[in-house]
Amino acid sequence: MSGLDQLMAMRDGLLPPAPIAETLGMVNFDGEHGSISVELDPELRHYNPLGTVHGGVISTLLDTAAGCSVHSTLAAGEGYTSLDLTVKFLRPATVDSGRLRAVGTVIQRGRRTALAEAQLFDGAGKLVAHATSSCMIFS
């Protein structure tokens, strides 16, 4: 299967979702070639000691959207791994922020590497965080 076919099979329940999606409560995983989105309703279990959604949860959403956008470009037999993830936190998220939506997009896809970005929006459409990720592609 191509990477996009794998991801859409997960979306449609034909393949099991990634365990991290179940652990955090990610929902509405969807997309197309080169762009993937995922959502999460913030809960108290996602909080840090300061009373906001933990940066690791935000980073995981951004990493999922960026990485899976690269995954969606893979041919059958190809794989990938993240080389780095750079996150900029712009505003806090809480249960009052509404559903968070991460949208990942491939910026450049080469034979051996890919560059992707992801943006995380709150329920009002405000940008909460932004990330860039480099991925290594292998067969």
Side-chain angles (χ1 to χ4, degrees):
M1 296 174 82
S2 73
L4 181 60
D5 289 342
Q6 290 172 346
L7 294 173
M8 295 303 100
M10 288 180 202
R11 175 198 67 189
D12 297 339
L14 302 173
L15 290 175
I20 191 67
E22 291 182 350
T23 298
L24 289 183
M26 294 180 198
V27 296
N28 292 342
F29 185 85
D30 203 6
E32 58 191 28
H33 186 271
S35 181
I36 296 293
S37 64
V38 64
E39 298 178 349
L40 176 101
D41 291 316
E43 300 174 20
L44 293 179
R45 68 182 174 132
H46 298 128
Y47 275 27
N48 59 32
L50 298 172
T52 60
V53 175
H54 191 282
V57 173
I58 289 171
S59 295
T60 300
L61 286 169
L62 292 166
D63 184 55
T64 299
C68 286
S69 70
V70 171
H71 189 137
S72 74
T73 70
L74 300 178
E78 285 186 313
Y80 80 100
T81 189
S82 297
L83 294 172
D84 62 29
L85 179 71
T86 302
V87 178
K88 301 295 183 190
F89 302 99
L90 305 173
R91 63 175 27 94
T94 67
V95 295
D96 295 328
S97 298
R99 181 168 281 184
L100 302 176
R101 182 170 193 259
V103 180
T105 307
V106 172
I107 296 171
Q108 191 275 335
R109 166 58 155 90
R111 246 180 2 98
R112 303 303 259 158
T113 61
L115 176 64
E117 70 175 347
Q119 295 180 312
L120 183 68
F121 300 95
D122 66 14
K126 293 180 183 173
L127 187 62
V128 172
H130 177 269
T132 56
S133 177
S134 301
C135 297
M136 179 174 62
I137 299 163
F138 51 89
S139 35

